[in-house]
Amino acid sequence: MRPRRSCLAVPGSSVKMLDKAQGLPADQVFLDLEDAVAPLAKPDARKNIVAALNDGDWGGKARVVRVNDLTTPWTYRDVVEVVEGAGANLDCIMLPKVQSAGQIEWLDLTLTQIEKTMGLEVGKIGIEAQIENAAGLVNVDAIAAASQRTETIIFGPADFMASINMKSLVVGALIPGYPGDPYHYILMRILMAARMHDLQAIDGPFLQIRDVAAFREVATRSAALGFDGKWVLHPGQIDAANEVYSPAQEDYDHAELILDAYEHSTSEAGGKLGAVMLGDEMIDEASRKMALVISAKGRAAGMSRTTSFTPPA
C-alpha cells in the first residue's frame, strides 16, 4: 500500500493552492471537489484538477480526487470529467459520505466503464471510502468489502458529529464533561473493517489548523490504535503527521532486530528454534508478526536502521 501518513486537502477551485501543494512533503494529496468548493465553482474546479494532474509534478505523492457524494447532482460529472481527462495520472477517487456498499459498487462499475472506453488499465484507479454518518458506520463492513479497488476507509468527523447530534463544535478534540474519548468506538469500528479487508485506515481532519500541538495530540491517539495516517488541512500539520504516523527510530531499529533474530533462530544455523532470547526479551512467531507491522511502517516512511544484528556465538 502507498504511504498515507499525511493526506493533504487541496481545494480544486484554487489554482494557487494546487500549484503549491506539489512541492509540499505530504504522502498524499486529495484534490477536492466537495466541501471546499462552492457549488457555482465546481465546473471550473474540475478543469483545474484535470490540468493539475496532467501538467503538475507531484513528486511520487498519491494523487486522489474527492468527488461529491451521491446525494448531489454533481457526482457523475465529477467522475466522468476527471477520469476521462486525467485518468492516467490519477491514483484514487475518494467518495465522501458513503452510506452503503451499493454506492461503492456504483463507483467501481463507473470507473470500469470509463477505463475501458479510454483505454486505461482496468482496475488501476483505486477507491477511498469516507465514513461520515451513522448509516456509513453501521454498514462499514459491507462498504469495506464492496470492491477490490478500495484502498482506504476514512473517518469524516465533522459531518459525523452533526449526523449523531454530538454536542461539540470542535472537530476531533475531546469533549469537556465526557470522561472518555468520544471517537474511540468510531475509530475502532473503522479500523476493524479496514483490517478485515487489508485496507488502510485514515483519521479525519483537525480544524484548528494553527494549533499544531493539539493536532499532534489528536493524531497520537489514532496512531496508537493503528491508524495509518491523518488528513492535514494546512502545510504546518504535515511534518507532525509524518512524524506521528511513523515509528520512533528506537522502535523501528528494534523491530528490524527482532526480524533478523527470529530468522536466524529458526534457521539451521540458528538451531531451528521457535523461541529465542533477544537481550532480555523472549521473541517468537507472534513477536515476528508485531515487528513486521513496525518494520513496514518504517520502511514506507523511508527510515534507515541505526543498528545491526550479530548472531550469537
Side-chain angles (χ1 to χ4, degrees), residues 80-287:
V80 171
E81 289 189 28
V82 168
V83 179
E84 286 190 351
N89 298 308
L90 175 66
D91 294 309
C92 293
I93 290 287
M94 184 190 302
L95 188 64
K97 299 176 178 65
V98 179
Q99 300 187 59
S100 69
Q103 293 179 332
I104 297 297
E105 291 166 355
W106 172 87
L107 181 55
D108 187 325
L109 178 59
T110 302
L111 288 172
T112 297
Q113 292 175 334
I114 298 171
E115 287 166 340
K116 288 179 177 179
T117 299
M118 301 303 295
L120 300 169
E121 178 186 345
V122 174
K124 170 185 173 292
I125 298 172
I127 291 174
E128 299 195 345
Q130 191 175 10
I131 304 300
E132 301 187 72
N133 57 31
L137 191 66
V138 169
N139 294 323
V140 69
D141 290 325
I143 289 167
S147 170
Q148 291 298 311
R149 294 179 184 266
T150 304
E151 297 187 15
T152 70
I153 306 294
I154 305 162
F155 177 39
D159 280 285
F160 199 101
M161 292 165 68
S163 79
I164 63 171
N165 297 339
M166 188 175 282
K167 190 180 178 182
S168 176
L169 292 173
V170 181
V171 174
L174 298 182
I175 299 174
Y178 183 76
D181 182 346
Y183 308 102
H184 181 78
Y185 169 76
I186 302 166
L187 291 172
M188 287 299 292
R189 191 72 188 81
I190 288 172
L191 183 63
M192 293 305 103
R195 295 297 187 253
M196 176 70 179
H197 300 283
D198 295 324
L199 308 179
Q200 289 181 317
I202 305 298
D203 195 7
F206 184 74
L207 272 57
Q208 281 66 42
I209 60 174
R210 301 190 189 283
D211 192 344
V212 178
F215 171 88
R216 185 184 296 274
E217 178 185 351
V218 171
T220 298
R221 293 201 299 269
S222 64
L225 295 178
F227 271 64
D228 299 287
K230 186 172 179 65
W231 279 13
V232 293
L233 303 182
H234 187 272
Q237 297 176 330
I238 295 175
D239 287 344
N242 287 344
E243 178 186 338
V244 168
Y245 291 96
S246 297
Q249 183 68 50
E250 180 181 1
D251 291 339
Y252 173 64
D253 286 339
H254 188 56
E256 294 287 13
L257 285 175
I258 289 173
L259 294 177
D260 288 347
Y262 187 75
E263 181 180 8
H264 174 75
S265 73
T266 56
S267 69
E268 191 77 35
K272 298 182 287 186
L273 303 173
V276 67
M277 296 300 293
L278 178 62
D280 294 331
E281 176 186 14
M282 190 200 77
I283 61 171
D284 57 12
E285 172 63 13
S287 307

Side-chain angles (χ1 to χ4, degrees), residues 40-62:
L40 294 179
K42 291 184 190 295
D44 286 340
R46 294 181 193 129
K47 295 180 176 62
N48 295 341
I49 286 173
V50 168
L53 288 171
N54 288 336
D55 302 332
D57 180 2
W58 295 97
K61 299 175 178 63

